[in-house]
Amino acid sequence: MQDFFEILRHRHSIHRFQQDWPVEREKLMAVLEAACAAPSAGDLQSYRIVVVEEAALIQRLQEASGGQEAVGTAPLALVFCTNQTRAEKTFGERGRKLFALQDATIATAYAQLAASASGLGSLWVGMFESEAVHAGLKLPHEYEPIAILCLGYPAERPQLTSRRKLKEMVLYATTDGVGSEAG
Ligand SMILES: Cc1cc2nc3c(=O)[nH]c(=O)nc-3n(C[C@H](O)[C@H](O)[C@H](O)COP(=O)(O)O)c2cc1C
């Protein structure tokens, strides 16, 4: 079992997957369960996860994503969709505009980390035409796709990316306002 912080540090996007090496059912279920363990506004879980495995549907996702090669090589993709109607019933405008999106996003993040912990490679794809994914998967109208998580065994070493320094990212609040130094 890898340390949680090791998983965070070592996860990097994969842009080429082993097409003939499918993701085991138990790993898929572990990833889905992790996604659904994420917090959500009012515990409503205002999102749906669509499992895509059929090659013809993966191809539709690739086309909807501007032909991104990585998508076409993935043996499995999870499409995370908001359910704004569900969030709106309890939280009104804020639920529809914000919470449904946050719920779906954090579920995607949990799934991606669970995939890493399971030894899978992943790629979060956000550049796609929503309407094309919607139509390609024949989604019910109330679901809006917001992230495609490609999963599979890597067929490449990931490119190591860097992060901005903490001091560029973090502001500390004081009664005088926010600044980059701890108070
Ligand atoms: C909201 C979001 C959208 C993204 N969309 C794409 C995408 O469409 N195509 C792609 O190749 N990577 C996409 N990525 C992956 C990022 O490019 C990648 O996470 C970032 O460059 C950092 O690299 P790392 O994941 O290897 O640490 C997306 C990531 C996020 C969080």
Side-chain angles (χ1 to χ4, degrees):
M1 185 62 107
Q2 285 183 78
D3 171 69
F4 178 68
F5 292 94
E6 288 283 299
I7 293 166
L8 294 184
R9 263 195 300 278
H10 293 305
R11 184 212 54 80
H12 282 291
S13 296
I14 291 297
H15 292 91
R16 198 149 45 88
F17 296 92
Q18 307 256 11
Q19 278 171 284
D20 301 328
W21 193 357
V23 173
E24 298 85 341
R25 220 69 203 156
E26 315 82 73
K27 289 198 177 180
L28 169 60
M29 295 317 290
V31 167
L32 293 172
E33 275 169 18
C36 293
S40 65
D43 200 20
L44 292 176
Q45 297 178 263
S46 301
Y47 60 89
R48 279 293 179 101
I49 308 167
V50 181
V51 179
V52 183
E53 289 175 302
E54 274 184 41
L57 296 180
I58 293 283
Q59 201 183 327
R60 286 184 199 172
L61 293 182
Q62 184 185 17
E63 284 160 11
S65 313
Q68 293 190 50
E69 242 182 278
V71 180
T73 69
L76 169 68
L78 302 180
V79 179
F80 287 79
C81 304
T82 57
N83 183 346
Q84 293 180 315
T85 316
R86 187 172 172 82
E88 187 175 27
K89 277 187 194 140
T90 303
F91 294 112
E93 183 77 349
R94 197 164 175 80
R96 192 175 66 79
K97 278 197 172 159
L98 182 64
F99 293 165
L101 180 60
Q102 290 181 327
D103 285 3
T105 304
I106 194 164
T108 314
Y110 270 47
Q112 187 167 39
L113 292 176
S116 297
S118 308
L120 297 169
S122 67
L123 178 66
W124 183 316
V125 174
M127 287 300 291
F128 59 80
E129 284 179 33
S130 289
E131 301 77 29
V133 171
H134 209 279
L137 299 181
K138 299 185 168 62
L139 296 175
H141 80 276
E142 69 268 32
Y143 302 139
E144 165 85 14
I146 58 104
I148 299 173
L149 190 65
C150 296
L151 297 175
Y153 288 94
E156 64 171 17
R157 277 180 190 275
Q159 280 206 330
L160 302 185
T161 51
S162 59
R163 293 295 187 267
R164 288 156 66 186
K165 292 193 166 46
L166 269 194
K167 68 173 187 219
E168 289 181 53
M169 304 302 299
V170 181
L171 292 170
Y172 294 88
T174 68
T175 47
D176 294 330
V178 292
S180 49
E181 299 295 324

